[in-house]
């Protein structure tokens, strides 16, 4: 039906004719990025000081300086030269934008490093580009998944609409009332099994 639209790769895509999806395997791990690509550089790592990823990452080498996203760590106490800015993979570009501004004000020569979760970023950007008043978004994933919840947060930061629902199974979708005045878009967290998203797509296509 024409009222089902799609978000382009590498999201799980739906179109009036076929299912199209691409899986991107992450070949850049945060520790390899720090120890190999940025081995000789000072690193400012934006994260939450109590998060296990922040704790393990900042312990990799001496010249990694944590900038706590909540407390706004005073970095002027350290001798930092031409730093690379990285951030916790559970945070989005929107979460850290204010922190990056603060850091660049203190260190004008700071550079933003490679995006660690490229697929997450592309999904978020494609969602923003696809939003409209007649769009209804179905986010497939767990409420305990950070990158799934980030899709919800980005939606609410981008629009005043309430046309979005988080589901974790086909059974939840079957309880929804579909309106053909809406264009439905399916997206998902990166850890969501493709089989679940595919079953939801096929169900909506059958209506």
């Amino acid at each position: 039906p024409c009222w089902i639209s799609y978000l382009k790769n590498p999201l799980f895509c739906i179109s009036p004719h076929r299912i199209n999806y691409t899986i991107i395997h992450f070949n850049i791990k945060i520790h390899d990025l720090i120890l190999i690509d940025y081995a000789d550089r000072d690193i400012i790592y934006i994260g939450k000081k109590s998060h296990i990823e922040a704790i393990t990452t900042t312990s990799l080498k001496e010249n990694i300086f944590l900038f706590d996203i909540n407390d706004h760590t005073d970095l002027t106490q350290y001798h930092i030269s031409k730093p690379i800015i990285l951030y916790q993979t559970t945070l989005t570009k929107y979460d850290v934008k204010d922190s990056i501004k603060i850091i660049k004000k203190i260190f004008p020569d700071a550079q933003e490093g490679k995006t660690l979760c490229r697929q997450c970023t592309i999904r978020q950007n494609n969602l923003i580009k696809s939003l409209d008043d007649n769009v209804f978004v179905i986010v497939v994933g767990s409420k305990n998944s950070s990158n799934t919840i980030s899709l919800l947060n980005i939606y609410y930061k981008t629009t005043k609409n309430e046309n979005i629902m988080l589901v974790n199974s086909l059974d939840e979708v079957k309880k929804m009332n579909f309106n053909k005045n809406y264009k439905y878009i399916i997206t998902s967290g990166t850890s969501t099994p493709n089989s679940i998203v595919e079953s939801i797509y096929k169900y909506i296509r059958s209506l």
Side-chain angles (χ1 to χ4, degrees):
C2 63
W3 47 279
I4 301 181
S5 186
Y6 66 92
L7 291 181
K8 293 184 179 179
N9 289 339
L11 303 179
F12 187 98
C13 304
I14 57 176
S15 73
H17 305 293
R18 63 193 176 94
I19 298 173
N20 179 20
Y21 64 94
T22 300
I23 304 299
I24 293 181
H25 296 284
F26 304 129
N27 55 12
I28 300 179
K29 295 181 180 179
I30 185 170
H31 292 184
D32 291 337
L33 192 63
I34 290 172
L35 296 175
I36 299 174
D37 293 50
Y38 303 131
D40 300 324
R41 300 291 298 272
D42 288 343
I43 294 172
I44 296 175
Y45 180 85
I46 304 172
K48 299 178 180 180
K49 60 186 177 184
S50 60
H51 195 282
I52 186 62
E53 181 185 325
I55 295 170
T56 56
T57 302
T58 53
S59 66
L60 287 174
K61 57 179 189 172
E62 291 184 357
N63 59 336
I64 303 177
F65 305 91
L66 175 67
F67 184 84
D68 187 85
I69 195 171
N70 297 317
D71 296 344
H72 292 180
T73 309
D74 179 14
L75 296 173
T76 60
Q77 61 184 304
Y78 305 111
H79 179 69
I80 301 174
S81 176
K82 298 180 180 179
I84 295 292
I85 302 173
L86 300 176
Y87 56 88
Q88 197 172 298
T89 57
T90 57
L91 300 173
T92 71
K93 184 76 172 180
Y94 296 89
D95 294 329
V96 301
K97 64 179 182 179
D98 290 338
S99 295
I100 290 175
K101 286 181 181 178
I102 294 171
I103 292 169
K104 286 189 173 181
K105 188 174 181 179
I106 302 171
F107 304 98
D109 55 356
Q111 298 177 331
E112 294 180 51
K114 298 176 183 178
T115 302
L116 299 176
C117 188
R118 182 173 179 272
Q119 193 179 70
C120 297
T121 302
I122 294 176
R123 291 183 187 214
Q124 293 160 8
N125 290 340
N126 282 351
L127 175 61
I128 292 170
K129 292 175 184 177
S130 303
L131 294 180
D132 201 344
D133 288 343
N134 69 332
V135 165
F136 193 101
V137 180
I138 299 174
V139 180
V140 187
S142 169
K143 63 182 180 180
N144 296 320
S145 166
S146 296
N147 64 72
T148 297
I149 296 303
S150 72
L151 292 170
L152 294 174
N153 293 337
I154 286 172
Y155 176 90
Y156 287 118
K157 289 177 181 178
T158 308
T159 178
K160 295 180 180 179
N161 295 328
E162 299 283 339
N163 302 332
I164 189 169
M165 178 169 287
L166 173 64
V167 300
N168 199 27
S169 68
L170 176 58
D171 288 339
E172 293 178 59
V173 175
K174 288 181 177 180
K175 296 176 183 178
M176 293 174 58
N177 294 318
F178 288 89
N179 184 336
K180 291 191 176 182
N181 291 322
Y182 283 131
K183 179 171 63 178
Y184 287 85
I185 290 177
I186 299 174
T187 186
S188 65
T190 55
S191 59
T192 304
N194 293 318
S195 58
I196 296 177
V197 186
E198 184 175 352
S199 66
I200 290 171
Y201 166 80
K202 288 182 177 179
Y203 171 74
I204 297 176
R205 286 279 293 162
S206 70
L207 297 178

